[in-house]
Amino acid sequence: MLADEETPLLVQDSDEDHGVSSRTARTPLPWRQFSILLLLQLVEPLTSQVIAPFLPQLVREIGITHGDESQVGYYVGLMHSLFFITEACTIFHWSRLSDRIGRKPVLLTGLFGLSISMYSFGLSKTFWGVVLSRCLNGALNGNIGIMKTMIGELTDSTNIALAFSFMPSTWFLGATAGPLIGGLLERPTEKFPGIFGDSTFFNEYPYFLPCSVPATIAVIWWFIAFFFLKETTKPQASPMEYFFGCRRNSNTPEHSSPAVENGALTHTREKPVPFRELLVTPVLVAAGSYASFALIDMAFRTVVPVYLSTPITVGGLGLDPSAIGIILAGSGMGNGVCQLFLLARLHGWFGAKNLCLATALSYLPVIALLPITNWVTQAHGLNGLVWLLLGIQMLLYIFANFSFSVIFIYINASAPNRASVGATNGIAQMLVSLMRAIAPAAVNSAFSLSIQKHVMGGYFAYWLMVGMVGITLIMVCSLPRKPGHV
């Protein structure tokens, strides 16, 4: 059964079973196509997180800081921000382009861009080489918004919550593997002398091996998508027709939106709403809440590797890249497992809005444990209590990340109709990319200022993140009690 243009995309009365109405039978997920999209989703966290364990060391080695430890945070934040700045500038255009030429060509372009940019990053030995690689990575990557749109098009109101409960688990699986790959495979000639000890190439390019792993996976995934992924919308023109001026149906505002009926994908015709009609309260509140969660999440995610690698005497824990990779991987693994097995129960216990509020509040102790753990380390060294505090911090952070599963549902439910899900996700992802560009530069610069000038007692970065939590709480309080309600 299809919703009309005014019907919210998510049922209103939810129970424990992933938000599905107890009075409505859930449509089975189209697992073959859905599993391919989940597989493709692994690529982005792999490429973004693989550099996290060794990025502080890479910044030191390319010489841009001239040995000034307080400058490392600035440039680590810049490297993370560049990806999201370029992504914010292009992702809405990729989403709109997918409405014209189809989702699949845009996905394939994104996979190609991620692969080339990661190979380039591994071969970069200068500051500008690293900068250009990260910019290329972000500019060519419109995949995350497209995949959310395709999932929205493959599902209906009875199974969309179930589908989105798998997305964070898949993302965190990639976020688990990425730091492990980056932390364990960087400088292979030193870590694996029996295999790579005589390799001039890997001695010259010590970070190419970890970068090449996700790059090669992206190439393999490209072929899987090319041969097996089906289009979920009816394109108005082929890529060749669109880019070379021979557009068909260019004046037709209609949009083909699929529905799953008895396991088969069928198409109906709906009209996408004008852009100005997307800028309505439900869309802006849902997208703004998503962006505020992304702001604090990205701030914490990018400051942690710098914090863990910073010497104990100036506010960090002084860990090496391998230990940092294991910690980040453990967090990612815990996130994936908990999202898959606990989301439905937590959603049933708390409800959508209350779960978002609880997860936002949990960031406060997560932030507080950063200086507390350093105090304990300075007093007693890296003892068992320090590792216990790190474990508690990561558990709280895992709980905080349940927010994204619920926000994804809010965003799709806020779309005026199914033909507008792509544009709605494009707006949301553009805002999120902008926040993810701001957060690393802001928080890592604040961290460096805390070390260099002892701003706010050396805790400027932590107070800044507390302010981000405050913004998130304001946005979450504006959400409707249930997705789809105004």
Side-chain angles (χ1 to χ4, degrees):
M1 181 177 67
L2 290 176
D4 62 28
E5 292 185 7
E6 302 302 323
T7 304
L9 299 183
L10 187 66
V11 291
Q12 310 304 334
D13 298 317
S14 300
D15 61 9
E16 267 191 18
D17 193 14
H18 295 277
V20 178
S21 171
S22 59
R23 299 187 298 272
T24 305
R26 184 167 61 208
T27 305
L29 285 173
W31 278 106
R32 181 173 180 178
Q33 293 300 296
F34 181 59
S35 61
I36 293 175
L37 288 174
L38 292 179
L39 194 66
L40 298 180
Q41 193 193 12
L42 285 171
V43 178
E44 184 174 11
L46 278 175
T47 55
S48 65
Q49 295 301 304
V50 72
I51 68 172
F54 61 77
L55 186 55
Q57 185 61 32
L58 173 61
V59 167
R60 295 181 183 104
E61 290 178 1
I62 60 178
I64 192 67
T65 64
H66 304 290
D68 185 351
E69 187 66 30
S70 67
Q71 297 293 310
V72 172
Y74 288 116
Y75 289 100
V76 169
L78 175 63
M79 297 303 173
H80 284 291
S81 293
L82 284 172
F83 173 89
F84 294 107
I85 290 171
T86 50
E87 186 181 60
C89 293
T90 59
I91 194 164
F92 183 72
H93 300 289
W94 286 119
S95 297
R96 292 293 293 269
L97 179 63
S98 75
D99 288 334
R100 306 292 191 270
I101 67 174
R103 317 296 185 204
K104 186 173 176 177
V106 179
L107 272 182
L108 293 174
T109 303
L111 288 170
F112 176 79
L114 287 173
S115 178
I116 294 299
S117 63
M118 286 309 298
Y119 283 128
S120 299
F121 193 91
L123 293 172
S124 299
K125 297 186 64 179
T126 65
F127 172 70
W128 287 111
V130 173
V131 165
L132 291 174
S133 298
R134 289 300 285 171
C135 289
L136 179 66
N137 196 315
L140 293 177
N141 180 39
N143 284 8
I144 189 66
I146 304 301
M147 283 186 285
K148 291 174 185 176
T149 301
M150 293 181 77
I151 289 174
E153 291 171 333
L154 285 170
T155 56
D156 58 27
S157 61
T158 67
N159 59 10
I160 189 172
L162 174 62
F164 276 110
S165 72
F166 283 91
M167 287 193 69
S169 299
T170 308
W171 199 94
F172 285 118
L173 177 61
T176 300
L180 277 177
I181 293 169
L184 296 178
L185 298 185
E186 54 95 28
R187 294 177 294 172
T189 56
E190 299 177 19
K191 293 186 174 180
F192 309 103
I195 302 174
F196 301 103
D198 297 328
S199 173
T200 304
F201 177 83
F202 285 115
N203 190 55
E204 184 76 10
Y205 302 100
Y207 304 110
F208 180 81
L209 183 60
C211 290
S212 68
V213 173
T216 304
I217 290 174
V219 172
I220 297 171
W221 274 209
W222 189 96
F223 283 101
I224 292 174
F226 182 82
F227 288 109
F228 300 110
L229 184 64
K230 295 180 181 179
E231 184 60 73
T232 59
T233 189
K234 188 175 181 179
Q236 297 177 11
S238 70
M240 292 292 290
E241 290 170 332
Y242 182 83
F243 287 110
F244 290 97
C246 301
R247 306 182 192 180
R248 54 182 170 84
N249 299 330
S250 59
N251 296 320
T252 303
E254 294 183 345
H255 178 96
S256 177
S257 183
V260 181
E261 295 182 358
N262 299 322
L265 195 63
T266 62
H267 289 267
T268 61
R269 306 292 288 182
E270 287 186 329
K271 295 180 181 180
V273 301
F275 178 77
R276 66 181 180 276
E277 293 185 21
L278 291 172
L279 304 179
V280 293
T281 299
V283 173
L284 294 178
V285 168
S289 298
Y290 182 22
S292 64
F293 272 114
L295 178 70
I296 181 58
D297 175 73
M298 197 65 190
F300 179 76
R301 187 186 299 278
T302 55
V303 81
V304 161
V306 180
Y307 164 80
L308 294 175
S309 69
T310 298
I312 296 171
T313 54
V314 290
L317 296 186
L319 302 178
D320 60 29
S322 296
I324 295 170
I326 292 171
I327 291 170
L328 298 180
S331 172
M333 183 180 298
N335 260 306
V337 172
C338 291
Q339 290 277 347
L340 187 60
F341 292 105
L342 296 180
L343 174 62
R345 291 184 179 277
L346 289 173
H347 185 270
W349 291 339
F350 286 92
K353 184 172 181 177
N354 288 337
L355 181 56
C356 285
L357 284 170
T359 55
L361 287 170
S362 68
Y363 273 109
L364 294 176
V366 167
I367 296 165
L369 281 167
L370 290 169
I372 290 172
T373 306
N374 174 254
W375 297 339
V376 174
T377 307
Q378 289 193 37
H380 306 289
L382 286 167
N383 60 9
L385 179 57
V386 170
W387 296 109
L388 175 62
L389 291 173
L390 275 173
I392 293 171
Q393 183 182 50
M394 291 304 150
L395 285 174
L396 289 168
Y397 178 61
I398 288 169
F399 176 74
N401 273 275
F402 281 105
S403 58
F404 289 107
S405 301
V406 184
I407 289 295
F408 292 158
I409 300 170
Y410 269 108
I411 290 169
N412 279 271
S414 71
N417 60 22
R418 282 190 171 272
S420 305
V421 174
T424 302
N425 272 291
I427 290 173
Q429 205 61 45
M430 180 175 64
L431 289 175
V432 166
S433 296
L434 182 62
M435 293 301 102
R436 286 175 172 166
I438 293 171
V443 75
N444 282 290
S445 295
F447 190 83
S448 291
L449 281 172
S450 299
I451 295 174
Q452 191 175 25
K453 300 185 180 297
H454 213 62
V455 177
M456 298 183 74
Y459 306 124
F460 180 36
Y462 308 141
W463 285 113
L464 179 63
M465 288 193 284
V466 169
M468 293 176 181
V469 175
I471 294 171
T472 305
L473 287 170
I474 292 172
M475 291 305 305
V476 170
C477 288
S478 303
L479 287 169
R481 190 171 63 87
K482 293 181 181 180
H485 284 219
V486 178

